[in-house]
Amino acid sequence: MAKYIIRESNEGDMPGIVRLRHAIKEFKPVETEEYISFWNSLIKSNPCSIKQVLIAQNDQGAIVAHYAMAPFKFLKDGKLLLGGFLCQLMVHEEYRKELIFPRMELKFLKDYKDLGINFAFSLGNREKVVKAHLSFGFSKIGDLPVYAKPYKLANIARHRIKNTLLNAVMAPGLSLVEKLIRLKGSLGKGDLKVTEISEFDSRIDQFLAKVQRYFPYSALRNAAVLNWRFAGSSAVKYQILITKEEGDVTGYAVLRRMEMNGFDVLALVDILFFPDQIDAGKSLLNAVHKIAMQLNVEMSACLLNPHDPLCPILKKCGYFKTPETFSLFVHEPKGKEPHFSEGSFDKWHLTWFDNDAV
C-alpha cells in the first residue's frame, strides 16, 4: 500500500499541482502558465471567500492527487444559495487503487455545511466518479446532452466510423450537406447587431436581473461574476458577444475554441437571452455560425438542459443532440428540508458556465 497524507492545499503547492496535471495522461495537454492562470481564476480569485482545496502527498513529498470545491452563488426561485462545485479531480495513475478520491470527497461532504455552503454539486461523466457520488448520498437530478452543429461532416465521420470504404462512399453526400450547413446560418430572422466586448460592465446587470427570472434554478450571473468566469484569466481566452436593442442589452454569448474528444470545436460556453425574444437568440447564433466558419472548426458545441426554454431556438439553428452527456448530481445535508428534488431537473439552467473544463 502506497503511503500518503491528505491535507489542505497551501500557496507552495502550485508547482506540484501543475506536475500532477501534466502527468494525467487522459487529460489534454496544457501549457503550465495556462493551467496556473486557469486554476488561479477558478479557485484563488473566486469572488466567494470560501476556498476548499485538498491534495494528497506521498512520503517523497510529491503531490499525487488534487480535488477542489469551488463556491458558486445560486438562484433558486429568486432566493440566493451557495453551492459547492466539486471540480479539478486529479489522481495519479499509480495511486488510483488507493482510497484517495473517496476520502477527499467524504471530507468535503462532511465539512461544507459548516462553511455556509447550502449544497454540493457536480457535473460528472466519469463512470467511477458517478458511482462514488451515488454511493455517498448524491441525488442524480438529470442528464445534460452536448448539442453540436457540424461543419466538417467527413472529418467527423472518420472519427466515428473506422471503415475506410464506407467513409469513401459517404463522402459526396456529406460534402453536399456540409455546403448547405455553411450556406445557412439559422432559420428566420436574426437582425440585431452583435458586438464583441472584452469584458462585461455594470450596464448588463439590469438585463441579467430580468432574464434570470425565466430560469427558476441557475448560477447567479452579474457583471462581476461573468468577468470572474470569462475575463479573469490572462491565458484562457474567451470571445464575448452581446446584442442590444435601443441601447439595452438583450443577450450575450461566450465562445472558446478548443479541442474536445479529438475534434476542433468552437464551444458555446454560455448563452443567455429572453426566451420570448427569439431575434436576440438567432442574432447571437448567426454570429456564432459566422465565427465557426471563419475559424474553420469541425463543429460548434453547447451544453444545455433539454428542458431549457433556450433549447428549441438552439435546435432551429442547426444544433442536434450528440451521444456525449454530463450528469448533474446534487448533495444536501441530512436532516434538513432539501432545496432540490430529483424531479426538479426541468427547472435548471445549466451550461458550460457551470463546468471546470471549458
Side-chain angles (χ1 to χ4, degrees):
M1 180 181 290
K3 293 182 179 180
Y4 64 88
I5 59 167
I6 294 174
R7 62 171 174 81
E8 293 184 5
S9 181
N10 58 49
E11 290 283 343
D13 289 330
M14 199 67 233
I17 294 171
V18 171
R19 283 192 291 271
L20 173 64
R21 175 61 178 77
H22 288 318
I24 306 294
K25 296 176 183 177
E26 60 266 36
F27 290 174
K28 67 183 183 68
V30 63
E31 296 293 331
T32 295
E33 290 305 314
E34 180 180 339
Y35 184 72
I36 292 174
S37 176
F38 162 77
W39 192 97
N40 284 338
S41 174
L42 178 68
I43 298 170
K44 186 177 180 179
S45 302
N46 192 298
C48 300
S49 58
I50 303 166
K51 294 172 179 62
Q52 287 282 90
V53 183
L54 295 175
I55 61 101
Q57 190 172 30
N58 67 15
D59 52 2
Q60 285 82 47
I63 292 175
V64 296
H66 172 279
Y67 204 13
M69 178 180 276
F72 272 63
K73 290 182 179 179
F74 240 80
L75 290 173
K76 178 185 181 271
D77 296 322
K79 179 183 177 181
L80 191 63
L81 301 174
L82 191 61
F85 175 51
L86 291 165
C87 59
Q88 291 300 292
L89 172 63
M90 300 182 286
V91 181
H92 195 284
E93 190 172 351
E94 294 177 5
Y95 287 79
R96 291 181 186 175
K97 292 183 179 180
E98 307 297 328
L99 296 175
I100 296 176
F101 160 56
R103 288 173 178 171
M104 285 180 159
E105 182 147 297
L106 287 171
K107 179 168 175 53
F108 282 140
L109 299 182
K110 175 178 174 290
D111 295 344
Y112 76 80
K113 59 183 179 296
D114 297 327
L115 299 171
I117 295 174
N118 301 105
F119 66 98
F121 72 104
S122 169
L123 287 176
N125 62 355
R126 287 188 268 179
E127 185 178 354
K128 290 182 179 179
V129 175
V130 167
K131 287 181 178 179
H133 286 342
L134 293 174
S135 65
F136 295 156
F138 280 79
S139 296
K140 181 179 175 180
I141 304 297
D143 293 322
L144 290 99
V146 175
Y147 291 90
K149 184 173 185 177
Y151 291 98
K152 295 185 178 181
L153 293 174
N155 287 14
I156 295 169
R158 282 194 292 270
H159 275 84
R160 298 295 185 188
I161 303 170
K162 302 305 179 184
N163 188 311
T164 305
L165 180 59
L166 181 57
N167 279 314
V169 171
M170 293 170 57
L174 293 176
S175 178
L176 178 60
V177 175
E178 184 179 308
K179 288 177 181 178
L180 292 173
I181 291 171
R182 288 173 173 270
L183 285 171
K184 192 69 175 176
S186 66
L187 299 177
K189 291 184 177 181
D191 299 328
L192 298 182
K193 182 180 179 183
V194 178
T195 305
E196 184 173 346
I197 58 174
S198 59
E199 63 180 13
F200 296 89
D201 63 43
S202 60
R203 286 174 291 184
I204 200 171
D205 286 339
Q206 185 177 3
F207 157 74
L208 291 168
K210 292 178 180 178
V211 75
Q212 288 181 108
R213 296 172 191 163
Y214 287 81
F215 307 94
Y217 306 164
S218 71
L220 174 71
R221 288 163 171 81
N222 55 38
V225 169
L226 290 175
N227 283 332
W228 157 68
R229 181 64 176 85
F230 298 124
S233 170
S234 59
V236 181
K237 299 298 183 183
Y238 296 94
Q239 192 169 1
I240 305 169
L241 309 176
I242 62 167
T243 57
K244 290 183 178 180
E245 191 167 9
E246 298 180 354
D248 295 327
V249 175
T250 57
Y252 74 85
V254 181
L255 312 176
R256 181 186 176 196
R257 184 182 188 176
M258 60 187 299
E259 182 269 327
M260 289 184 177
N261 290 342
F263 294 108
D264 183 11
V265 176
L266 180 63
L268 180 53
V269 185
D270 198 24
I271 185 166
L272 205 58
F273 54 89
F274 294 106
D276 55 358
Q277 293 185 7
I278 297 174
D279 203 37
K282 288 184 176 178
S283 297
L284 287 165
L285 291 168
N286 277 338
V288 174
H289 174 80
K290 290 175 183 176
I291 292 168
M293 290 198 298
Q294 290 167 0
L295 294 175
N296 200 30
V297 295
E298 292 174 294
M299 68 178 76
S300 54
C302 179
L303 185 72
L304 199 63
N305 187 331
H307 304 286
D308 197 293
L310 304 186
C311 200
I313 302 162
L314 199 77
K315 290 178 179 178
K316 286 181 180 178
C317 292
Y319 288 78
F320 68 92
K321 189 184 293 186
T322 74
E324 299 295 324
T325 61
F326 288 77
S327 298
L328 171 64
F329 296 90
V330 170
H331 184 282
E332 298 194 68
K334 292 181 180 179
K336 293 186 177 182
E337 185 69 24
H339 294 289
F340 306 106
S341 66
E342 292 186 35
S344 67
F345 184 51
D346 60 344
K347 297 181 179 181
W348 288 77
H349 174 71
L350 294 157
T351 68
W352 272 318
F353 175 96
D354 310 272
N355 181 265
D356 63 329
V358 181

